[in-house]
Amino acid sequence: MPRKEGKGIFGSVRLPISKSYIHLRPQNQLIRIGFIGALLVTMIIGLNFFLQEASILSNGPLSSNHAVVESDCAACHNHAFEDGLLTENDNPTFTSILSAFSFDSVRDENCAICHEKFGDPVGVYTFAAHYIYRSKDLTRGNESEDEIPCFSCHPEHLGRRARITEVSDARCVGCHPFGSFNEQHKEFAFAAEGLPDSASLKFTHIYHVKQVMAWNEFVDIERACLDCHNAGPDGKNFEPLNFDRHCGTCHLTEAEKTPALQVWNSREPNAPGVFTLEDFRSRGELGDEWAFGTSTGEFSRIEDKIVKSRIYHEDPWILANLKRLRRTMGMELGLSGLLRASVDVPDPHDDKILHEEAIETLRSFITELRSHPESMVIDELTQLNRLLQKVEAGIRDPYTSVDKTKFLEGSGQAETRLSEEEVQEFEKVVALLTEPCQICHIVQNGFVARVQKDQRALIRAEFNHRAHILQRRCLDCHTGIPFSDYIPRKGQLTSERLNAELTKKGLEGSWLAEVSGVSEETVSNVLGGTIDLSEQLEQRFMEVLDSWPGETLEDNSSIQNLPIIAQCQTCHQVEVSSNRCVTCHLFHPNKLNRANLLLYVDQQSEGEAQ
Amino acid sequence: MWPNLEGKVRSVTWFWLFWASVITCGILYLINVLVSEARPNNPWGLSYGIAATLLMMGSAVYTVRRRAQRIASKYRLGSTQNWLQFHVYGGSLSLLLVLMHIGFRLPSGTLTWWLFILTVWVILSGMAGVFLQKWIPKILASGLSLEVIYERIPELIEEIKQKATQLVEDCEAPVRGLYSEQIAPVLERPELKLIYYVDITGGMRSRLKEFEFLRGVLDSEEREKLDRLQALYQTKLELDAHYTLQKTMRCWLYAHVPPSLVLLVLVVWHVLAVWYY
């Protein structure tokens, strides 16, 4: 049979087909190369693990904060068997055996070795400190199930330049249901609850700003603000207000004196009246030493009345008389006699102030008693001094709670032995005695109300005035008191404004005419808008308005002249400025109160020492 | 509404399953960043990492499945086609999950850098492989008149060389000259030429200009021999095209398979390291 044409060949050039089945080349070589590579990698990692502290296996270098312990894994990671996960009594399971040879998660205790002294239940980095959060309310420090370990917020192995203290909002909103600052942060408590300022002073900002501006010839209102509100060295908050620096220029000048006061009569010891300087000198009570350093020339006596013609801030004669009157009225009980001002503290968690003041008084007593020659007295004083040192040390600890009930026992609710009429008579003397004080201070129950000097507000946020003043002026944010409406700048006073000013104060044009010395007709024409304000008239009216000191609903010391959250939100949004939780808040808020330099002492050696 | 993908993708079901998974991952990640943080070590990040590991391992099983036809048939382990689809789509999805695992940030550790680079390399080389597997057979089938098995190419070139040598023995000087100077060197061995990636004919027309020139000066008998020589020459060039492009398909595996194995071992090390620390 002839061979079929084209059989066994293919293509135009008649190439032969394969004589046998073609076996494709196996791809084992691929696998072989892969295995060699894998083996090589395993060897490198293995050698690195045993000889070079597993730097390859590490998820990354530690941040520069922790770089010093990079080569010591066990500084942070515990071996599970060290934690007792596999003990002799256990019935080992596969998991427990595996776990025994692995590292445990990083425990907070390991962080605390460097970051906090041991055994401090409210140490800086504890959750308790976070719960208390500057409130000084120790009852808030209860443990919660939501507590998470340190590494959850401060993950490591993200590289040397990682900023592990910058915690995202997601960490905070897990517990705080606020969400983003510009949309879900709740209103500040003072605004939401309409809380008044607890400064305990009678103070009108507008009047004072006008005076400061006039005195210093300031043009800007803000310059006047900063004349009293002096920023601290860090620019964040303000220095406490100080009478001598901020008030003394105008207040309690040489011209100041008390009204004529009824002098106490030894024949009627329970009748209301004030002690003279001689009375204080002669009674020789503790705390009366000031009387020997006070000039009798400051007093003028007219029969049974006395006038003190030089008044000082915290005037010892007034305070001593006030104390004596309180005592006679039965208003001073417990330890309140050791205080210069009332037991009420503007911030209820600042009760330590009372103890500090009481200790200061007791120390002055000790100083007075040191002149006694009796050795028994000296010994007693030494012991008392030690006791005070101990109490002071306790008070210095920010998380030691103090009990102010000793100051309050019966205070203000005394079962006075005086009749109601007699008490009223005493209160009249108190009112007269403290008349110079009451220009600014509130006097209640025979006490000058305690003043909050530190001007602290919104203590849960980290506000930096210096950083903000570059962006906003004082009055852009502090709009609670309408300074601009009351302090018109030159050329801004119009008839409409003048009308508004008088309406606000409930006054009429006739009053303005009388105090300004301008004719009623002219004032009427100005207010009616029929004639324009000349420069001279504007100057005159501004002087009148500037001298207006009265408190109004728009300007009094109870106004919290702080921005509400909406004002902060205008800038603190993603498109304009940082709006993260940590921009204003700290998780560990009281770092200044951190452990002392005995951090290096470990628990074991401490125990041995004890 | 939906595009007709019949004939464009190997399996429409796998294709849509892949994109549904991608969208699901996207939604999950969006929820993740809204309610928590994108971190490798929180429950979200660990879930992505575990899913990526499982997909990588599953994709790797395809290699075993290919080599275990009998066992696969006996135990009905699914068709190779389905395993291939899982290998391609699952592998691609694992890259997305790895990126989600690391929160779309660059890693910082040595091992994690290796893992990252190798993952990207393996997935990209895999995608390149899918492209080559689809593109090369198509241009080979459409642009060439010949279909050959890669392993036979050297043998066939030898055959062509012999035929050409025999043919030119009886030819006149011009044809012999052309052969010895230009054709014989080409017929020596298979040649790799980049030109075949852009022109499957390898610039055939310009190469045949010498033949056209000679054809005009030869008599009819010599012209016939020249035509046969030209056919042999053209076939050699087509074999070169096959050689170049089929070799690419084979070499691509070297860029994909060994790194994949190293990657799997590194993943194991990574899992051990995470567990250990």
Side-chain angles (χ1 to χ4, degrees):
Chain A
M1 197 172 143
R3 187 184 169 91
K4 191 177 176 182
E5 182 71 17
K7 184 164 183 179
I9 55 168
F10 73 102
S12 59
V13 295
R14 303 171 71 82
L15 292 167
I17 61 168
S18 178
K19 291 186 177 73
S20 59
Y21 184 78
I22 298 166
H23 291 279
L24 296 178
R25 194 183 298 163
Q27 293 177 331
N28 290 345
Q29 198 184 357
L30 284 171
I31 307 293
R32 220 173 291 140
I33 294 170
F35 270 119
I36 290 168
L39 198 67
L40 207 64
V41 162
T42 301
M43 277 172 62
I44 293 170
I45 294 175
L47 285 171
N48 174 261
F49 181 80
F50 290 109
L51 303 178
Q52 294 178 310
E53 289 146 350
S55 57
I56 291 177
L57 286 181
S58 164
N59 277 343
L62 294 176
S63 65
S64 52
N65 312 52
H66 295 137
V68 70
V69 292
E70 178 134 293
S71 58
D72 182 10
C73 303
C76 304
H77 299 270
N78 287 67
H79 267 294
F81 61 80
E82 288 169 359
D83 293 345
L85 285 180
L86 189 70
T87 64
E88 288 176 9
N89 299 328
D90 282 336
N91 289 322
T93 60
F94 178 68
T95 318
S96 67
I97 292 168
L98 276 181
S99 301
F101 292 99
S102 71
F103 274 112
D104 199 5
S105 292
V106 177
R107 296 185 309 175
D108 291 355
E109 287 83 351
N110 291 348
C111 308
I113 290 169
C114 297
H115 288 281
E116 188 50 76
K117 67 178 175 183
F118 53 83
D120 188 346
V122 281
V124 177
Y125 298 108
T126 60
F127 268 86
H130 179 68
Y131 301 144
I132 294 166
Y133 207 100
R134 291 179 180 159
S135 68
K136 298 176 185 171
D137 181 359
L138 298 183
T139 59
R140 298 173 52 161
N142 297 325
E143 210 169 311
S144 161
E145 287 178 357
D146 298 326
E147 289 175 14
I148 48 174
C150 304
F151 70 79
S152 298
C153 293
H154 306 294
E156 259 300 353
H157 295 288
L158 296 175
R160 280 282 187 275
R161 292 176 191 278
R163 305 180 76 170
I164 61 168
T165 51
E166 285 194 0
V167 179
S168 75
D169 290 358
R171 294 279 110 202
C172 310
V173 296
C175 296
H176 300 275
F178 289 165
S180 83
F181 175 74
N182 15 345
E183 285 163 17
Q184 288 162 289
H185 194 292
K186 67 177 184 181
E187 181 56 274
F188 302 139
F190 82 88
E193 297 168 26
L195 300 175
D197 190 309
S198 55
S200 312
L201 269 181
K202 296 173 191 170
F203 189 83
T204 49
H205 269 95
I206 294 174
Y207 173 73
H208 283 85
V209 165
K210 283 176 180 173
Q211 297 302 316
V212 171
M213 286 179 75
W215 182 273
N216 295 293
E217 297 181 351
F218 289 151
V219 177
D220 286 339
I221 297 173
E222 277 90 353
R223 288 289 302 277
C225 302
L226 298 173
D227 204 55
C228 295
H229 298 289
N230 310 135
D234 59 0
K236 286 185 177 178
N237 299 308
F238 296 115
E239 300 278 13
L241 289 170
N242 179 283
F243 177 85
D244 294 329
R245 201 162 64 236
H246 300 116
C247 318
T249 312
C250 304
H251 290 275
L252 299 183
T253 54
E254 290 81 356
E256 201 78 56
K257 58 184 178 182
T258 63
L261 298 159
Q262 179 68 47
V263 174
W264 174 74
N265 187 339
S266 57
R267 284 181 300 241
E268 294 177 80
N270 289 331
V274 295
F275 266 27
T276 61
L277 194 61
E278 291 74 20
D279 292 334
F280 282 114
R281 283 177 180 173
S282 59
R283 79 170 180 174
E285 266 192 26
L286 276 175
D288 285 346
E289 204 177 49
W290 59 269
F292 298 96
T294 304
S295 167
T296 51
E298 291 177 2
F299 299 88
S300 47
R301 177 95 182 246
I302 307 158
E303 297 174 357
D304 59 344
K305 304 270 183 181
I306 191 167
V307 172
K308 188 171 192 288
S309 56
R310 285 279 179 97
I311 311 289
Y312 306 104
H313 191 243
E314 295 185 351
D315 191 291
W317 182 78
I318 292 178
L319 291 182
N321 263 307
L322 204 54
K323 185 176 175 180
R324 202 191 59 76
L325 287 166
R326 281 200 305 262
R327 204 181 290 167
T328 314
M329 290 160 71
M331 303 296 272
E332 186 175 289
L333 292 171
L335 294 176
S336 61
L338 298 171
L339 304 177
R340 286 193 297 275
S342 69
V343 181
D344 302 316
V345 180
D347 181 346
H349 302 299
D350 271 341
D351 292 343
K352 282 182 182 175
I353 291 172
L354 303 179
H355 289 75
E356 285 163 0
E357 203 171 290
I359 289 170
E360 197 183 320
T361 308
L362 287 170
R363 282 205 186 287
S364 70
F365 291 173
I366 291 170
T367 310
E368 282 182 38
L369 287 168
R370 279 213 184 108
S371 59
H372 280 254
E374 299 93 337
S375 61
M376 197 178 75
V377 174
I378 300 302
D379 289 346
E380 285 278 330
L381 290 180
T382 308
Q383 281 184 25
L384 190 59
N385 218 18
R386 281 195 193 132
L387 190 68
L388 288 180
Q389 278 175 348
K390 212 167 186 179
V391 174
E392 270 183 322
I395 288 172
R396 269 202 300 272
D397 184 340
Y399 296 112
T400 299
S401 62
V402 293
D403 180 11
K404 76 167 184 178
T405 51
K406 292 281 179 196
F407 294 97
L408 289 167
E409 281 171 350
S411 180
Q413 303 155 18
E415 283 183 28
T416 173
R417 57 185 180 278
L418 303 177
S419 68
E420 203 170 311
E421 290 75 29
E422 285 172 321
V423 169
Q424 281 176 359
E425 286 301 311
F426 267 92
E427 281 175 348
K428 277 180 194 168
V429 176
V430 168
L432 285 172
L433 176 67
T434 57
E435 196 180 276
C437 314
Q438 290 193 55
I439 293 171
C440 304
H441 290 279
I442 296 163
V443 177
Q444 282 176 333
N445 298 326
F447 275 105
V448 175
R450 192 170 292 277
V451 176
Q452 186 192 354
K453 298 175 192 168
D454 63 7
Q455 310 177 65
R456 278 166 55 215
L458 305 177
I459 56 168
R460 284 158 199 275
E462 298 297 313
F463 189 83
N464 190 328
H465 279 91
R466 187 174 290 157
H468 283 77
I469 199 72
L470 298 172
Q471 314 296 330
R472 290 283 183 275
R473 301 281 291 273
C474 309
L475 299 183
D476 290 338
C477 299
H478 296 280
T479 54
I481 297 169
F483 289 96
S484 305
D485 291 351
Y486 284 89
I487 309 172
R489 293 181 177 89
K490 203 171 179 183
Q492 288 182 347
L493 192 66
T494 59
S495 62
E496 289 81 16
R497 192 153 202 167
L498 207 50
N499 273 309
E501 291 281 324
L502 292 172
T503 310
K504 274 179 195 169
K505 294 175 173 71
L507 296 167
E508 291 179 353
S510 55
W511 173 84
L512 186 61
E514 189 185 330
V515 294
S516 62
V518 179
S519 73
E520 274 198 45
E521 190 187 353
T522 309
V523 170
S524 171
N525 286 334
V526 168
L527 291 173
T530 50
I531 59 166
D532 289 334
L533 269 169
S534 66
E535 198 174 318
Q536 197 180 358
L537 274 178
E538 186 188 10
Q539 175 71 25
R540 189 73 204 100
F541 291 151
M542 274 175 70
E543 278 171 17
V544 170
L545 295 173
D546 283 351
S547 65
W548 179 254
E551 282 197 342
T552 64
L553 280 176
E554 291 172 301
D555 182 21
N556 60 67
S557 57
S558 69
I559 294 172
Q560 293 267 24
N561 189 19
L562 296 170
I564 57 170
I565 198 161
Q567 276 170 304
C568 307
Q569 286 166 336
T570 55
C571 292
H572 287 281
Q573 47 184 292
V574 177
E575 291 77 13
V576 185
S577 179
S578 169
N579 70 340
R580 297 173 58 199
C581 300
V582 290
T583 306
C584 303
H585 300 286
L586 299 171
F587 187 88
H588 311 292
N590 300 324
K591 284 197 176 173
L592 288 176
N593 300 326
R594 60 196 309 177
N596 59 34
L597 293 179
L598 289 172
L599 275 168
Y600 68 89
V601 180
D602 63 32
Q603 201 159 10
Q604 196 181 354
S605 59
E606 181 83 340
E608 284 167 7
Q610 283 174 353
Chain B
M1 182 186 169
W2 302 103
N4 184 10
L5 297 167
E6 290 294 341
K8 290 179 184 166
V9 293
R10 188 67 61 88
S11 164
V12 177
T13 311
W14 277 100
F15 179 83
W16 286 123
L17 196 64
F18 169 74
W19 282 108
S21 305
V22 168
I23 292 166
T24 308
C25 286
I27 293 168
L28 269 176
Y29 191 76
L30 197 67
I31 296 169
N32 174 182
V33 293
L34 286 175
V35 302
S36 179
E37 289 166 277
R39 274 204 212 157
N41 60 344
N42 66 12
W44 292 90
L46 283 174
S47 306
Y48 306 143
I50 291 167
T53 306
L54 290 176
L55 283 176
M56 282 182 190
M57 297 295 174
S59 302
V61 173
Y62 165 70
T63 314
V64 182
R65 168 66 185 83
R66 276 185 64 203
R67 287 152 194 274
Q69 285 289 2
R70 280 187 197 166
I71 299 168
S73 304
K74 190 177 173 185
Y75 294 103
R76 296 185 179 177
L77 297 178
S79 67
T80 314
Q81 184 56 38
N82 274 337
W83 276 99
L84 175 64
Q85 294 300 308
F86 179 76
H87 179 81
V88 171
Y89 288 117
S92 304
L93 195 62
S94 72
L95 176 64
L96 176 66
L97 284 162
V98 165
L99 293 174
M100 287 161 66
H101 175 62
I102 59 177
F104 291 89
R105 285 183 292 263
L106 290 175
S108 47
T110 311
L111 178 64
T112 45
W113 258 113
W114 286 3
L115 276 167
F116 178 72
I117 291 169
L118 271 177
T119 304
V120 173
W121 174 262
V122 168
I123 304 304
L124 290 183
S125 64
M127 287 176 174
V130 170
F131 170 74
L132 291 175
Q133 299 283 2
K134 283 178 177 289
W135 176 64
I136 290 178
K138 198 182 282 179
I139 56 165
L140 286 177
S142 63
L144 303 176
S145 61
L146 209 59
E147 280 185 38
V148 288
I149 297 168
Y150 176 77
E151 280 74 9
R152 286 202 71 210
I153 290 173
E155 170 201 334
L156 293 173
I157 288 175
E158 187 56 36
E159 178 75 21
I160 289 169
K161 185 184 168 187
Q162 282 177 16
K163 284 189 175 189
T165 311
Q166 279 176 7
L167 184 66
V168 293
E169 275 175 4
D170 300 333
C171 289
E172 289 178 0
V175 179
R176 282 209 305 276
L178 173 70
Y179 177 75
S180 60
E181 282 172 23
Q182 293 190 26
I183 298 171
V186 174
L187 298 181
E188 280 301 315
R189 65 189 69 82
E191 285 179 317
L192 285 171
K193 285 201 172 118
L194 292 175
I195 182 90
Y196 294 118
Y197 290 109
V198 287
D199 179 8
I200 190 63
T201 66
M204 186 85 79
R205 188 164 294 195
S206 64
R207 288 177 167 224
L208 295 179
K209 274 184 182 166
E210 286 288 328
F211 286 91
E212 294 301 321
F213 174 74
L214 267 182
R215 194 169 280 113
V217 296
L218 296 176
D219 59 25
S220 60
E221 193 182 340
E222 281 297 305
R223 222 180 292 160
E224 190 194 337
K225 289 176 186 170
L226 186 70
D227 287 343
R228 283 163 56 195
L229 187 63
Q230 182 180 329
L232 286 168
Y233 181 63
Q234 275 180 290
T235 304
K236 162 62 170 69
L237 293 180
E238 286 197 6
L239 288 175
D240 280 347
H242 271 287
Y243 184 72
T244 303
L245 295 176
Q246 288 195 41
K247 195 175 181 69
T248 305
M249 287 212 293
R250 278 160 174 75
C251 286
W252 154 77
L253 285 169
Y254 284 89
H256 182 67
V257 178
S260 305
L261 274 168
V262 177
L263 173 64
L264 288 176
V265 170
L266 288 183
V267 167
V268 172
W269 273 108
H270 180 60
V271 172
L272 284 173
V274 169
W275 163 74
Y276 189 72
Y277 293 105

